[in-house]
Amino acid sequence: MALFLKLFSTVLTGLFGVLALLVDYRDRQTNKIGKWGKVALAGVLVSSTVSLVTQGIDERQNQLEGARRAAEAEELKSKLARLADPLAPPDVYVNWALPKKIVGGDVFLASMKDLASSLGKSNSSASTKDYFISHKDVNGAPMDIDLTADSKYHPNKDAEPNLFALLNYPGVEVAIVRNPDDLKKMSEKFRQSGGRASIQGDYVFSVGYGNPNVNTGVSFNVGEQRIYSNVSGPVDARFIAKTGAVISMYDLAASSLVVKVSHTMVVNLDGNHATLQANRNAAAPAYFQLTANGRKYAIRQWDVTESANGFRMFSAGPLSDFTQEKDAERKREWNVSGQFPVPQTKE
């Protein structure tokens, strides 16, 4: 179209140029613009208009072409970024906050309260063969007491089987979701399914019981009078489900994270599985850290999706909002104030 208008404008200009050479554009008697002069003037106006229209079309086409090239350059940049920094199997650490009232856990909770009371308010021994104090307040009083692997304070399998299973078989299911719309759909599906639907995403894995490289731990927060259970370790590359949408750190930083407590069945549990399930459903991730390619994403606050029968999933993102530097700042604030965000447990 633009080419046709250019040719048309050129032909008109040439025709009226020739016309100006062949005819008199003024009446010789009146010295006014004559018939041919008016024709030439109309031709000039028409050719000028066509030329302006052609220029406008060219400008618009140039803008569209520039936008297309910019989009192609951005797409190429994205592809290069994905290829330059492929995502390696990450390491995960999650600290589950348990409800203050744990069904079947009264004896253990009482023993931890007695331990905290016996340590006094200051100058407590930092560690023994049964525990170590991971955080103290400004006066030296214990804030968090972590049990060692062979601690005598661990719950007894026979006396408190459900609590024993809760603390010794922790786990987390994790999904990394690239598209925010997919996260919304999954949340709605989870809610409608009664919470029994598996979480889905573009990079899905679990960390917990069954992996020999996974570590577990138990701690007691003195101020909250609350038990915490943590699980950490590398993700086994053989058991990562991928769609191809998350293959690099570039993708990871732009994605959202979904976590859910792993309802691992405990074989030969001398207790009630319904009680174990209820205790797990009441737990919430107080602190979650994902480490990949040397970079860390630390999350403490979540959006919660809960089904009618109490199953819950927790989401946060995009992950670029959660950096090691921001988390370090939160840690500095915590060391002064002695406060984490309130755990989203079901009390």
Side-chain angles (χ1 to χ4, degrees):
M1 181 64 178
L3 179 60
F4 171 77
L5 290 176
K6 283 182 179 180
L7 292 174
F8 182 62
S9 175
T10 301
V11 170
L12 282 180
T13 301
L15 287 175
F16 289 111
V18 172
L19 182 64
L21 295 173
L22 299 177
V23 300
D24 291 329
Y25 64 90
R26 288 183 179 277
D27 189 302
R28 292 183 177 180
Q29 295 180 352
T30 63
N31 201 34
K32 293 182 179 180
I33 296 176
K35 178 180 67 174
W36 289 111
K38 293 178 181 179
V39 171
L41 182 59
V44 170
L45 291 174
V46 170
S47 62
S48 298
T49 301
V50 171
S51 179
L52 288 173
V53 171
T54 303
Q55 185 175 352
I57 292 175
D58 282 343
E59 183 66 23
R60 177 57 178 166
Q61 288 180 336
N62 289 336
Q63 290 177 352
L64 292 174
E65 179 65 16
R68 183 186 66 81
R69 290 183 178 179
E72 288 179 349
E74 186 63 29
E75 183 179 1
L76 178 60
K77 179 182 176 182
S78 172
K79 290 180 178 178
L80 291 174
R82 298 182 77 197
L83 293 173
D85 201 2
L87 175 62
D91 281 26
V92 166
Y93 172 89
V94 59
N95 197 22
W96 290 104
L98 304 182
K100 292 183 178 180
K101 176 63 177 177
I102 304 174
V103 179
D106 293 340
V107 175
F108 175 68
L109 190 57
S111 70
M112 294 306 297
K113 290 179 180 179
D114 289 343
L115 173 61
S117 178
S118 69
L119 293 176
K121 296 184 178 181
S122 63
N123 300 319
S124 302
S125 175
S127 65
T128 71
K129 65 183 182 64
D130 293 308
Y131 65 84
F132 61 93
I133 300 172
S134 55
H135 292 97
K136 294 183 178 182
D137 65 16
V138 292
N139 298 315
M143 295 174 60
D144 285 289
I145 304 170
D146 292 46
L147 299 186
T148 60
D150 300 320
S151 174
K152 66 181 180 181
Y153 293 101
H154 279 294
N156 183 277
K157 182 177 181 180
D158 297 322
E160 297 177 289
N162 278 290
L163 183 61
F164 179 86
L166 180 66
L167 298 180
N168 285 277
Y169 300 95
V172 58
E173 298 176 19
V174 181
I176 298 170
V177 184
R178 187 69 171 81
N179 190 327
D181 290 336
D182 291 340
L183 176 58
K184 292 179 182 178
K185 292 176 183 177
M186 182 172 65
S187 298
E188 187 57 33
K189 183 178 180 181
F190 182 87
R191 187 181 292 109
Q192 294 179 357
S193 71
R196 295 187 180 275
S198 299
I199 58 175
Q200 298 175 334
D202 300 301
Y203 195 96
V204 182
F205 58 88
S206 62
V207 175
Y209 175 70
N211 186 334
N213 296 316
V214 165
N215 298 308
T216 61
V218 178
S219 63
F220 178 71
N221 183 277
V222 179
E224 296 178 18
Q225 298 285 283
R226 186 192 299 276
I227 302 295
Y228 285 83
S229 171
N230 64 72
V231 57
S232 62
V235 177
D236 193 326
R238 297 173 299 171
F239 304 112
I240 301 174
K242 308 174 186 178
T243 65
V246 177
I247 64 171
S248 69
M249 293 300 295
Y250 178 88
D251 300 321
L252 181 66
S255 299
S256 297
L257 185 75
V258 178
V259 302
K260 174 176 170 284
V261 67
S262 179
H263 284 280
T264 306
M265 294 298 293
V266 181
V267 180
N268 298 324
L269 170 63
D270 185 16
N272 189 325
H273 277 94
T275 300
L276 174 60
Q277 178 176 288
N279 282 331
R280 283 172 168 171
N281 281 339
Y287 179 84
F288 183 97
Q289 180 175 287
L290 185 147
T291 304
N293 295 35
R295 276 162 278 182
K296 296 180 180 180
Y297 301 90
I299 305 172
R300 287 199 181 98
Q301 295 180 320
W302 306 84
D303 294 323
V304 184
T305 300
E306 183 169 352
S307 68
N309 55 349
F311 287 84
R312 301 197 297 169
M313 58 173 263
F314 304 83
S315 58
L319 285 176
S320 57
D321 291 343
F322 305 95
T323 65
Q324 184 180 17
E325 288 73 25
K326 290 181 181 179
D327 183 59
E329 185 63 34
R330 292 194 191 100
K331 283 183 177 179
R332 282 193 289 272
E333 294 173 357
W334 175 79
N335 286 334
V336 174
S337 67
Q339 294 181 347
F340 276 123
V342 178
Q344 294 164 299
T345 52
K346 294 169 64 177
E347 304 297 348

